[in-house]
Amino acid sequence: MKKSIKVALAGNPNVGKTTVLNKLAGTALKVGNWPGVTVEKKEAFVKVKDYTLHFVDLPGIYTLDPISEDEKIAVNFIKNEKPDVILNIVDTPNLERNLLLTTELLEFGIPLILVLNMTDEAERIGMDIDSDRIEELLKVKVVKTVGRTGKGIDKIIPLLVEIYEKGKTPNSVNYSPAFEEALREVSKRYPKANKHLKIELLSKSQEFKSLKEELEKKFGKSIQEIVADERYAFAHGLYSEVLKRSGSVSRDITDTIDKLVLHPFAGFLVFIGVVYLTFKIAFDFSSPFVDWIDSFINDFLSPLSYNFLETLPLPVWFQRFFSEAVIGGVGFVLTFTPLIGSLYFLITFLEMSGYIPRVAFLMDRFMHKLGVHGRSVIPLILGFGCNVPAIIATRTMESTRDKILVTVMIPFMSCPARLVVFAFFISLFFKDNPAIILTFLYILGIFIALITAFVLRKTLYRGVLSHFVMELPPYRLPSIKSVFTITWAHLKDFLYRAGTLIFGASLLIWLLLNSPPGVKNPSESIAALIGKSLVPVFEPIGISDWRATTSLIPAFLAREIALSSMGTIYTATEDIQRKEDFKIVEASVEQLKAFAEATFEAVRSIFTLKITTFEVEEEEDSLREILREKFNPASALSFMIFILLYTSCLGTFAVMMREIGRIKAFLFLIYSFFIAWLTSFVVYRFYLFLVSI
Amino acid sequence: MGIETVNLGAEFTVKFLKEKTNPVIRKLSAMGLKEGSRVKLLLKNGRVYLLRLNNSRLIIDKDLAKYIEVA
Ligand SMILES: Nc1nc2c(ncn2[C@@H]2O[C@H](COP(=O)(O)OP(=O)(O)OP(=O)(O)O)[C@@H](O)[C@H]2O)c(=O)[nH]1
Ligand SMILES: [Mg+2]
């Protein structure tokens, strides 16, 4: 058996810990340019020689006394889980501050490697650090790296093994004589304790109360201040020893950009522009590919597989299953892969650029009215990427009250899964003004979130606001390669879901459509029975077809399933003509041509400012045709609003249970159903009223 | 004097921090804002300040800024 070496990645927030780990272990863990990206411990494994390196990426911390939940996770790990080696990643341009945590980590006497990251930025400002001198003074290994490009990172693994094999512990940290004297007293009773524990015993234990008071009298300040000052002094002394040349920022591009981006008024225009461009590019770039995949599945893949299946001795039901559940259900949702991909690409790019925390600064004034501070904007923005990690990100909030207020807002932030449903219905019913409808839906979500938080804050969560302090990183140009890696990880997740959850749901729906066994007409099946019993609930909001209501049930697993289920049910219940005379060579050539055209279209779209996606009249495939008959603009809008607001996502519900508790999560679910129904009702009736006059 | 007296773009020195045992103030110090630090006030926006401190930037809100005395 291989021996396992437990390596903790520790350091200040946003210094590149996760970036370094991704390079070390080939993982695609979330990286972003703001403090507080990693909020739970994440693991990765690397096999080398006789060892398995067990890396644990931790949330960033400034000191070992934590305030927020994410900080507690990191501190608990370091204090209680006894890593074999600590990989202490530091932000070189801010070395002095980072060395404070290093000092605390050294107190544990655990072998340590100091990774001087962001050396590219240090060089740019002309800063130089004497890494040999650090090695000499602390007896630790030092590596200079650039996380962005991976420079220097290959040296880390061999060093980890070496330091582990030799069991090299660092030099003990030396504080002032008077303080050391007191610690020696503690040692007498606890000879085995590490320095960190001794300091804790001295500060907190009843046992050393008189020793502590004596010390406090001698220094004229509280023990907490004494300890802090001792550590600062050590870090500062070390820093002056190893600094060869201190850099200075002359004219900083970040400051120049911030004058505009953080301007109270111009900043808002920039924000709107950024949001608009993100969606515009995501839509326009992906839409030719969405159309292409649609035709690829329907005009190529499915006839091809029918021809193939026909040559096999398979029962008729299998062919039906294939066309209804696989092509009609899963294939339908897969069509939207390019949309999901482009949106995640842009979101990841923004996350790595440093723009996201700027919005926190910009929106503070506004968020304050809701009883939370600007920082809470960050989880809310993450919600547009996916609600689940966004809810976990509320661990950075400093009080439970803030955490709950933000958590109940997040599920109303519209995620790409919802966008898939919107994109489909908008392309059917609102071709003339897609941007308006889409903006309306996103804003409606935000509006309901604000109302929810506002009401809670005026009733159950009156308490006071906690303080807002956050580091604002410089802008950083993301490396396109890592943006692609992370986008790909998101896409894989989506495809995995399509292959498991969505496929499973389609299978279930298909089975229910065909049971009890031998049922001739699907409208007499169990699926129809369940759907029909729900019709009275949804009829007032314009959804009266049992096929639509049935689709809503499995959609609780994930919202895209509303579409895949509808695909399955409508394909099964309506006669969709299959193209005959399929010729593989011609069809392949045609598909290739279509792909080239799609690529051209996609690239061209980037250079126009208007959203062009829904402009072209595309030819209708039959499923779209059918849905166009079964819905009308009013009921389509109502359906979209319902999907938007109702927390129809098992992942979100599960993570809410974990983060805020079962009861609150359950109450929220009921609330979201209720508010979704009510809003759909109002909008549906209002729309009908408008049309009638 | 408090930070509110400092002009935009001006530098100041942190003279005194109140309640040094308050966890948030301790975090502030660990982030580099200590007595004696040289700080530049970059921007204000409603309730928040943007400060420059060595090679880093810090957002703090006005209530927290009340704990900081400047010279
Ligand atoms: N210029 C430059 N940027 C880097 C370097 N290493 C990482 N980055 C960027 O710094 C930002 C922060 O990286 P992360 O890996 O998320 O940092 P982290 O330490 O895991 O952050 P938290 O999880 O929030 O504590 C990202 O935008 C990275 O692309 C580097 O060496 N040079
Ligand atoms: Mg991280």
Side-chain angles (χ1 to χ4, degrees), chain A residues 434-639:
Chain A
I436 295 182
I437 298 293
L438 203 60
T439 313
F440 169 73
L441 288 168
Y442 272 77
I443 297 211
L444 181 67
I446 297 172
F447 180 71
I448 298 289
L450 297 183
I451 292 188
T452 307
F454 189 76
V455 170
L456 277 184
R457 129 150 236 240
K458 290 285 174 199
T459 51
L460 296 173
Y461 294 97
R462 287 218 200 109
V464 284
L465 190 69
S466 59
H467 287 299
F468 180 20
V469 46
M470 185 178 83
E471 228 186 309
L472 194 65
Y475 291 103
R476 292 182 169 125
L477 193 64
S479 99
I480 294 299
K481 201 174 144 214
S482 30
V483 178
F484 269 116
T485 316
I486 293 182
T487 306
W488 175 233
H490 282 299
L491 264 187
K492 264 204 301 214
D493 204 50
F494 176 70
L495 294 177
Y496 178 78
R497 244 190 353 209
T500 52
L501 206 58
I502 299 181
F503 176 73
S506 295
L507 175 68
L508 187 73
I509 284 282
W510 189 83
L511 286 176
L512 288 178
L513 275 174
N514 288 290
S515 36
V519 65
K520 281 279 162 310
N521 195 339
S523 70
E524 284 153 17
S525 65
I526 295 186
L529 216 66
I530 303 174
K532 281 175 186 163
S533 72
L534 283 179
V535 166
V537 180
F538 291 101
E539 203 154 28
I541 63 171
I543 307 166
S544 50
D545 189 349
W546 67 266
R547 291 174 287 198
T549 50
T550 309
S551 314
L552 282 173
I553 305 171
F556 177 66
L557 296 176
R559 283 174 168 99
E560 308 95 310
I561 293 178
L563 272 198
S564 61
S565 303
M566 267 202 267
T568 304
I569 302 177
Y570 282 100
T571 327
T573 52
E574 302 276 335
D575 260 335
I576 293 186
Q577 304 224 327
R578 262 168 52 187
K579 295 195 178 72
E580 297 303 326
D581 68 302
F582 175 74
K583 297 203 185 59
I584 184 156
V585 181
E586 276 97 333
S588 315
V589 173
E590 211 163 282
Q591 287 304 322
L592 278 178
K593 257 203 275 182
F595 181 74
E597 268 167 40
T599 313
F600 175 75
E601 275 303 308
V603 174
R604 204 189 53 142
S605 76
I606 300 179
F607 299 99
T608 56
L609 213 58
K610 231 181 105 197
I611 296 192
T612 56
T613 295
F614 305 99
E615 278 181 354
V616 277
E617 246 341 286
E618 49 194 293
E619 23 173 315
E620 296 294 338
D621 53 52
S622 13
L623 189 59
R624 285 175 195 246
E625 203 91 280
I626 296 162
L627 283 168
R628 201 203 283 279
E629 280 165 24
K630 301 295 169 194
F631 280 85
N632 56 48
S635 61
L637 190 60
S638 164
F639 190 83

Side-chain angles (χ1 to χ4, degrees), chain A residues 330-343:
Chain A
V330 179
F332 194 25
V333 166
L334 282 184
T335 319
F336 293 94
T337 313
L339 177 61
I340 303 269
S342 350
L343 195 60

